Structure formats: C-alpha cells, structure tokens
Amino acid sequence: MCSTGGPIDVEFDEGLKGKKYRCNDCGALFEAIGRHPVCPSCQSENVTEV
C-alpha cells in the first residue's frame, strides 16, 4: 500500500528498525522510518537524527 501526507501510526516489527529523531521545533524524541520523517507531536519536518 502506498500513502502520502499525514502522520501514520505504525508499530515496528522486530525486523524493521526505525531511526531515532529529535524534533528541532518541539523537542520530541521519536522513531521513524522513511526518507522524510515528520514529528508525531507537532507535524514538523524540522528533525535531526540522534
């Protein structure tokens, strides 16, 4: 399935590892997969891998 836009809540399988990010706008820490992670708290794309 292909989807675009909007946040999607996904539980990670054991074989699928997300990278850890910090939002530069709200400071939230989260894991994400994909090339353009979006903060789940504030929807910002201004994030840094930690």
Side-chain angles (χ1 to χ4, degrees):
M1 177 191 294
C2 180
S3 64
T4 59
I8 300 172
D9 289 333
V10 176
E11 291 187 26
F12 294 109
D13 282 339
E14 289 181 19
L16 185 62
K17 296 202 78 159
K19 293 181 181 177
K20 294 184 181 186
Y21 294 91
R22 178 185 309 273
C23 177
N24 296 318
D25 291 334
C26 75
L29 292 172
F30 63 97
E31 285 191 17
I33 57 174
R35 295 179 189 204
H36 304 288
V38 176
C39 175
S41 296
C42 70
Q43 311 310 311
S44 173
E45 294 180 6
N46 183 17
V47 300
T48 303
E49 187 176 346
V50 293

